[in-house]
Amino acid sequence: MVFSLFLLILLFSSLSSASLLDQVHRIDEPVPVCDRSNSNNSHIYCNSTLLMAVNYHELYNDSKTFVDMPMKNDPDYVLEKFNEEFSNISVEAINRTKLQQFVDTYFSPPGSEMLPCTPEDWNPQPAKLMSIVDPQLREWALKLNAIWRSLCKKIDPAIENSSSRYLLIYLPHNFIMPGGRFREFYYWDAYWIIKVTFTWVFDQ
């Protein structure tokens, strides 16, 4: 193992720094993480005065809350209405109450585009859990098993035809969300959920 590591270090040290730099992809202009070239609502959720105002006035305890709130109208219309009311006012001078009223008027509650679902193979009383002898431990395990139903979500099909109002990408199938402040799906979480689920299924 040590000898293999030594050979690897020797190999890299034999490469000139110039040859390594030649392999690096050079970018003359910075590529925005989120702008109109790669998002149809970046001017609301990514780099807008509205977003700055919401965060500055701390409308929500969690900065993720606002970006999880779907728009009730198309983004250009929402931005137009925001500019009509607040365009000549600095972010600091915006009235917090009026800003909250604006958000409540043009945005839906966070996660409202998610619909509940129940996993097709979910069993409220799996044999393995029912075999637990200790009644308190068995009750705890069954309550834990019931959480699958609250974590199972599907995206409202309406998103497919009005994607600019949402940050989520429409998926036609059910999925398991991480829970807590994370209302959307994540590949890494999905990997471990699937891994544990398969372990559970084949260990029945």
Side-chain angles (χ1 to χ4, degrees):
M1 176 66 182
V2 175
F3 181 71
S4 299
L5 183 60
F6 172 77
L7 289 178
L8 188 62
I9 295 173
L10 187 63
L11 173 64
F12 275 101
S13 63
S14 65
L15 297 174
S16 67
S17 58
S19 64
L20 289 175
L21 289 175
D22 289 340
Q23 299 176 40
V24 176
H25 179 61
R26 297 182 182 277
I27 300 176
D28 295 328
E29 296 293 334
V31 178
V33 175
C34 179
D35 68 0
R36 286 180 181 265
S37 69
N38 52 36
S39 169
N40 54 14
N41 51 31
S42 63
H43 49 305
I44 298 293
Y45 293 120
C46 294
N47 48 19
S48 68
T49 305
L50 170 56
L51 176 63
M52 292 173 58
V54 169
N55 288 331
Y56 178 84
H57 292 283
E58 299 181 338
L59 295 191
Y60 307 100
N61 293 329
D62 189 342
S63 60
K64 187 176 182 297
T65 299
F66 175 70
V67 295
D68 282 352
M69 299 173 68
M71 286 176 275
K72 297 177 182 178
N73 305 94
D74 291 338
D76 288 339
Y77 179 81
V78 173
L79 186 61
E80 177 185 341
K81 291 300 178 182
F82 178 80
N83 289 334
E84 285 179 5
E85 188 164 354
F86 303 107
S87 62
N88 296 321
I89 309 173
S90 66
V91 168
E92 296 81 1
I94 289 177
N95 181 278
R96 188 180 188 278
T97 301
K98 289 185 177 181
L99 179 62
Q100 184 68 71
Q101 291 173 346
F102 178 87
V103 173
D104 293 341
T105 299
Y106 293 100
F107 291 81
S108 299
S112 56
E113 72 276 43
M114 299 285 195
L115 303 177
C117 64
T118 299
E120 295 179 3
D121 58 349
W122 182 76
N123 181 357
Q125 296 182 332
K128 190 168 186 177
L129 299 187
M130 296 306 295
S131 67
I132 298 175
V133 177
D134 187 300
Q136 290 185 329
L137 184 58
R138 182 172 62 249
E139 181 183 2
W140 175 82
L142 290 173
K143 288 181 178 179
L144 191 64
N145 177 60
I147 295 177
W148 285 113
R149 290 193 303 171
S150 63
L151 295 180
C152 183
K153 300 293 179 183
K154 64 184 301 183
I155 299 178
D156 190 334
I159 291 183
E160 189 173 12
N161 297 320
S162 55
S163 61
S164 64
R165 300 184 183 185
Y166 308 86
L167 273 186
L168 281 181
I169 298 174
Y170 174 72
L171 286 180
H173 304 294
N174 299 348
F175 61 90
I176 300 296
M177 68 176 187
R181 68 195 289 265
F182 299 106
R183 305 174 181 90
E184 55 284 306
F185 56 90
Y186 292 89
Y187 291 112
W188 188 238
D189 294 88
Y191 168 77
W192 288 109
I193 290 169
I194 293 171
K195 188 176 181 66
V196 171
T197 301
F198 274 122
T199 302
W200 175 270
V201 169
F202 291 116
D203 197 32
Q204 291 289 314

